[in-house]
Amino acid sequence: MNERELKNMIINILESAQYGTLQEFQAIVANGIQRGVGFDGLVWGAGRQLTSGAIDIELAYLEGRDKSLLSDYQQIAEIDPTSQKFMANPQLPQNITVACAYQKPSLTIARDYLNHYDISQILLCGLNQNNQHTFRWMTFYRGDDLPFNENDVDLVAFLVPLIHRIEQLRHCTTEMQKMAHQADPAEKYERFSTLTQKESEVAFSYIGGNNYKDIARMLGMAPNTVRRHLWSIYQKLEVHSRSTLRMRLLG
């Protein structure tokens, strides 16, 4: 994927996040990465780490494999070395060849599970969500013996955290739109009228868990500009923290 194709893909993803349904957004993301990486299966998931050390899948968009892949995974979650490495450093891509990484006798059940679902190659990347025990990720599968190459890994390492941040911003925007429809006119006016459009975008991105640099990248502004907007937001809404801002906006 060249630079122009990458830019066009990001623009399409941003537009679908703003104007499309959730299903349209997910499909455009999957199709875009497919053109750049090449895969025959995808899990776009969210979950948390249990006290046992296993990851519990709470939400998932699945493509290219039977949905039983997700429920069956719980049988191997506690011994799966790939997910354990992922949780230790979520933004470090895990590029796995199953035949090499699952050789140990203790991993026979996990290897049989992967073989059953025709998974020979795995590429996994994600990020922590708000706290260290909650994660979002994308896992790409190949059923053939062709490993993901260095370009595939670099592209996924760049795109996956960005897409998850866009997804958070999309969620915040959707919530804002719901509130705009549900709130009575007086409450709606009182809550939002003092904020400019840019301040509203910054505010909802910030309460979604994004930091200054993430917001700056997504909204196309400098981190110092984000700080100035947040200072203005805090002054206008008379709040002093992210949590009180969230209560003020979503209350």
Side-chain angles (χ1 to χ4, degrees), residues 114-128:
L114 294 168
N115 289 338
H116 175 75
Y117 287 103
D118 191 27
I119 299 171
S120 297
Q121 310 294 329
I122 302 170
L123 180 54
L124 167 62
C125 187
L127 75 165
N128 289 122

Side-chain angles (χ1 to χ4, degrees), residues 27-55:
I28 286 174
V29 168
N31 290 338
I33 299 179
Q34 164 76 334
R35 289 195 297 272
V37 174
F39 58 86
D40 55 38
L42 164 67
V43 175
W44 182 349
R48 59 190 176 89
Q49 187 176 20
L50 303 175
T51 54
S52 64
I55 192 162

Side-chain angles (χ1 to χ4, degrees), residues 171-179 182 187 191-192 203-204 207-208 237 242-251:
H171 175 73
C172 290
T173 302
T174 301
E175 291 301 311
M176 182 173 64
Q177 291 170 343
K178 287 180 182 177
M179 290 177 58
Q182 293 172 358
E187 180 184 2
R191 186 171 293 174
F192 299 115
F204 278 90
I207 66 173
L237 299 184
R242 192 197 304 254
S243 59
T244 54
L245 176 61
R246 183 182 295 111
M247 291 176 62
R248 185 77 174 86
L249 294 176
L250 302 181

Side-chain angles (χ1 to χ4, degrees), residues 153-164:
V153 173
D154 289 345
L155 183 60
V156 164
F158 168 73
L159 283 175
V160 170
L162 176 62
I163 288 167
H164 284 308

Side-chain angles (χ1 to χ4, degrees), residues 106-175:
S106 59
L107 297 176
T108 299
I109 296 175
R111 186 172 62 250
D112 289 346
Y113 161 84
L114 294 168
N115 289 338
H116 175 75
Y117 287 103
D118 191 27
I119 299 171
S120 297
Q121 310 294 329
I122 302 170
L123 180 54
L124 167 62
C125 187
L127 75 165
N128 289 122
Q129 185 182 20
N130 299 330
N131 68 71
Q132 61 180 349
H133 299 298
T134 307
F135 303 91
R136 300 190 75 86
W137 67 87
M138 287 186 174
T139 307
F140 305 94
Y141 301 130
R142 285 179 180 169
D144 56 35
D145 293 328
L146 179 65
F148 292 101
N149 61 36
E150 186 175 341
N151 290 335
D152 297 330
V153 173
D154 289 345
L155 183 60
V156 164
F158 168 73
L159 283 175
V160 170
L162 176 62
I163 288 167
H164 284 308
R165 297 303 185 190
I166 294 172
E167 184 184 22
Q168 286 180 321
L169 182 58
R170 182 190 182 280
H171 175 73
C172 290
T173 302
T174 301
E175 291 301 311

Side-chain angles (χ1 to χ4, degrees), residues 26-88:
Q26 291 171 329
I28 286 174
V29 168
N31 290 338
I33 299 179
Q34 164 76 334
R35 289 195 297 272
V37 174
F39 58 86
D40 55 38
L42 164 67
V43 175
W44 182 349
R48 59 190 176 89
Q49 187 176 20
L50 303 175
T51 54
S52 64
I55 192 162
D56 179 39
I57 302 173
E58 297 176 334
L59 295 170
Y61 168 81
L62 180 66
E63 188 173 291
R65 294 294 187 277
D66 189 84
K67 63 182 180 180
S68 60
L69 175 143
L70 299 174
S71 56
D72 287 351
Y73 178 76
Q74 301 308 314
Q75 300 174 23
I76 68 160
E78 292 187 16
I79 65 169
D80 182 25
T82 300
S83 63
Q84 291 168 3
K85 290 178 182 178
F86 162 72
M87 287 185 286

